[in-house]
Amino acid sequence: MKHTWYREGVVYQIYPRSFQDSNGDGFGDLPGILSRIPHLRDLGVSIVWLSPVYASPNDDNGYDISDYRAIQPEFGTMEDMKALIAGLHQAGIRLVMDLVVNHTSDEHPWFQASVRNEPRYRDFYHWKTEKGNWTSFFGGEAWTWNPERKAYYLHLFSKKQPDLNWDNPEVRQEVKDIMRFWLDLGVDGFRCDVINLIAKADGLPNGKPTLILQGKEHYLNHPKIHAYLSELRDDVLSHYDCFTVGETAFVSPKTALTYISENVRELDMLFQFDHMAADCHFVKWFPKPFRPINLKRPLTRWQEGLQGKGWNSLYLENHDQPRSVSRFGSEAYHKESAKMLATMIFFQQGTPFIYQGQEIGMKNADFPNLSDYQDIETQNMYRTGRKLLLLSHEQMMRRVRRASRDNARTPMQWDASPNAGFTEGKPWLKVNPNHQSINVAADREDPQSILAFFRTIIALRKLHPVIVYGDFTDLLPKHRRIYAYRRILGDTVLTVLCNFSAKTTKIPRFPGAGGGQMILGNYPLGSPELLRPYESQVWMNTKK
Ligand code: ISL
Ligand code: CA
């Protein structure tokens, strides 16, 4: 693969609302992020992805934008934004913004003009006089009646997130102008929100009856999308030194290559979700017990599927997913399992994405009461589950505690003080009580901490190109507890061994096993014979 900064880099995702408050109002903000650049620099990350900070009525915490060129006052001002870009760049860190253009807020002036039927805006959104049968990602119907326009409009997410009509060239022109605005301000790329949903089938036909996302066959990876994305690439992206990562649920490696292969490059990489179904049926609101094989299998499939043709993104967490150590790790082996999971994912081929708090092993919020959760998806899914699936309050609360997006959105745990060092005021969402032991300050004191381990992984990645570019082979695809894989670049061989269980497990013999030097492990002194509970080892070797 061609060598580029975004392939070699490590990305850190910031959810601004929950990262650092600077003025005591309980909401994280841009000056707060600026003040935490030393943390990012210590960690060694080279790119920040910032979740939306644009003007928004906050129906979906900023993923409903009412002005793409303005900063939400809670987060600060445009001057703060410029200071953050400069501060990050000075620290050698690039900045990627969230680009949310499948939909706007219903409070965006375009939607309001469309409601009034103003000629330029009439077709900016999807309108129908008869109600369609598609359902929303957040539960419930995706078509809502607007009494003023006397028609139904489409919203794949909340009612306050109407979908833009990408068939309209004026819409695409507007999006390109927004992209240029931010690139000219100095940002280094975009994380493109739900980008594989933007193209909808002509006439918006009704969908086949199904429990999950009725209508999806009419918009997921619709063929028209390639014309739209190559237009953005040719007219905007190709003129800047930037990169894009598309958020694309429901893609296979084969479909992925139609977006990211070297000769297409509509996007530089994408987020796939197959491994996020390791503990659920399809979507996390239908839970099933976690089995390591269900995490290994999709990850290996993606490694093999893109090998030599496209570039993977590597992640276990983001602002929509419960905490990885709570899902795939262990309470009893908190530190070991957090480190093992980091080893498992970040030694694969691709660009690693760390979500704030993952570097100290933050756990799920697991709040007991529905009223503790603010997320719109959580509240809608609770109602949908009670009404449509006829589940009891207790049954639904079990799902909420496990699946809610607020599990990842509790304030960043900086220290052991009452609000975890996040705010001097009342935090917008409760701080996890475990911040007394799980926090950045404590980890900084401890050379064996999870934070120190992340720092080491990032440093090793800078030292050894095999970690970035090496070929991948799964060594034990059928093993139920151990994930073992190999990376090879030139004559350097890396062997990664991860135990996903609390049982000490003998390492089976595989061709060319053992030997070399252990460059990383989450226990002192690893043995090449066996793996202790949640143990991980990385061995480096030279081919003879
Ligand atoms: O969060 C999810 C499941 O709990 C996903 O279905 C998620 O809604 C989907 O991946 C799209 O996510 C993105 O777009 C949404 C926004 O709410 C998410 O925060 C964002 O990451 C709408 O803009
Ligand atoms: Ca604030």
Side-chain angles (χ1 to χ4, degrees), residues 21-36:
D21 179 18
S22 71
N23 60 355
D25 66 357
F27 294 94
D29 47 48
L30 296 174
I33 299 173
L34 189 69
S35 74
R36 291 298 184 180

Side-chain angles (χ1 to χ4, degrees), residues 397-461:
M397 279 315 294
R398 272 203 293 280
R399 295 195 185 193
V400 164
R401 292 171 81 146
R402 195 167 147 165
S404 174
R405 306 196 293 185
D406 280 348
N407 279 316
R409 298 178 181 182
T410 58
M412 179 67 184
Q413 296 168 199
W414 296 105
D415 58 41
S417 70
N419 289 319
F422 165 69
T423 180
E424 311 263 87
K426 185 173 180 293
W428 73 275
L429 186 68
K430 277 196 203 161
V431 171
N432 195 320
N434 68 23
H435 74 272
Q436 295 194 338
S437 55
I438 301 177
N439 63 65
V440 173
D443 269 23
R444 288 184 67 94
E445 301 286 298
D446 174 8
Q448 306 301 330
S449 67
I450 299 171
L451 180 64
F453 195 84
F454 268 82
R455 212 185 280 134
T456 306
I457 291 188
I458 296 170
L460 283 171
R461 194 180 156 88

Side-chain angles (χ1 to χ4, degrees), residues 34-276:
L34 189 69
S35 74
R36 291 298 184 180
I37 289 179
H39 174 69
L40 306 174
R41 212 180 19 211
D42 282 358
L43 194 54
V45 299
S46 43
I47 304 166
V48 160
W49 152 27
L50 185 59
S51 277
V53 291
Y54 316 99
S56 162
N58 278 323
D59 188 50
D60 185 18
N61 286 0
Y63 283 89
D64 48 320
I65 298 169
S66 53
D67 184 347
Y68 289 88
R69 292 179 181 77
I71 300 295
Q72 173 76 7
E74 269 162 16
F75 289 133
T77 62
M78 194 50 95
E79 287 317 302
D80 295 328
M81 188 67 222
K82 289 181 185 159
L84 179 61
I85 298 174
L88 286 168
H89 284 171
Q90 227 159 51
I93 300 171
R94 311 219 196 199
L95 177 65
V96 165
M97 299 288 277
D98 223 304
L99 184 71
V100 188
V101 288
N102 173 68
H103 44 265
T104 68
S105 162
D106 66 338
E107 295 180 34
H108 194 291
W110 300 338
F111 187 71
Q112 296 181 342
S114 194
V115 163
R116 290 190 301 266
N117 235 327
E118 287 178 24
R120 177 165 190 259
Y121 298 99
R122 186 170 294 145
D123 297 322
F124 257 54
Y125 297 83
H126 297 286
W127 294 95
K128 250 170 108 141
T129 45
E130 262 167 57
K131 189 179 183 177
N133 75 350
W134 300 6
T135 57
S136 146
F137 276 72
F138 289 161
E141 298 178 331
W143 289 94
T144 289
W145 174 252
N146 180 278
E148 199 179 333
R149 170 115 176 207
K150 298 195 173 52
Y152 294 91
Y153 66 92
L154 173 69
H155 55 90
L156 291 180
F157 294 88
S158 95
K159 277 189 182 47
K160 287 183 66 63
Q161 292 168 299
D163 282 48
L164 283 165
N165 175 10
W166 277 73
D167 292 334
N168 184 339
E170 306 233 17
V171 166
R172 303 199 299 272
Q173 208 51 54
E174 291 283 359
V175 170
K176 289 188 278 182
D177 285 347
I178 292 165
M179 292 168 77
R180 286 189 198 102
F181 173 86
W182 286 101
L183 290 164
D184 290 340
L185 215 66
V187 314
D188 305 287
F190 299 104
R191 174 267 188 188
C192 308
D193 192 63
V194 294
I195 199 71
N196 63 327
L197 316 184
I198 60 174
K200 277 88 177 173
D202 294 344
L204 307 154
N206 275 341
K208 289 195 298 268
T210 156
L211 209 59
I212 298 164
L213 296 177
Q214 188 158 271
K216 57 181 170 306
E217 65 275 22
H218 298 303
Y219 59 80
L220 279 179
N221 308 304
H222 189 279
K224 284 192 290 190
I225 193 176
H226 296 294
Y228 303 156
L229 291 182
S230 35
E231 185 179 327
L232 303 186
R233 176 200 58 207
D234 293 346
D235 293 359
V236 183
L237 295 165
S238 62
H239 302 275
Y240 296 84
D241 177 24
C242 66
F243 91 103
T244 54
V245 49
E247 188 207 21
T248 54
F250 311 100
V251 285
S252 62
K254 197 165 153 245
T255 315
L257 288 170
T258 66
Y259 295 112
I260 63 170
S261 73
E262 283 282 282
N263 54 338
V264 175
R265 282 204 59 197
E266 289 169 10
L267 299 163
D268 294 301
M269 60 184 106
L270 45 78
F271 293 129
Q272 58 84 17
F273 286 79
D274 292 346
H275 62 306
M276 291 289 107

Side-chain angles (χ1 to χ4, degrees), residues 331-394:
E331 252 331 291
Y333 295 97
H334 171 245
K335 273 195 180 182
E336 290 82 357
S337 62
K339 294 177 186 175
M340 180 279 285
L341 288 169
T343 307
M344 183 280 295
I345 190 79
F346 295 148
F347 277 84
Q348 301 211 340
Q349 192 190 65
T351 299
F353 286 73
I354 299 169
Y355 176 66
Q356 68 185 43
Q358 187 180 356
E359 75 276 30
I360 53 168
M362 275 178 66
K363 297 183 191 173
N364 277 352
D366 196 26
F367 297 137
N369 303 314
L370 184 63
S371 59
D372 293 330
Y373 296 87
Q374 302 197 20
D375 173 34
I376 180 162
E377 184 201 42
T378 306
Q379 295 292 339
N380 283 1
M381 283 300 183
Y382 175 87
R383 274 196 301 273
T384 309
R386 296 290 313 266
K387 212 170 93 186
L388 279 143
L389 305 177
L390 304 173
L391 295 171
S392 69
H393 171 72
E394 288 69 30

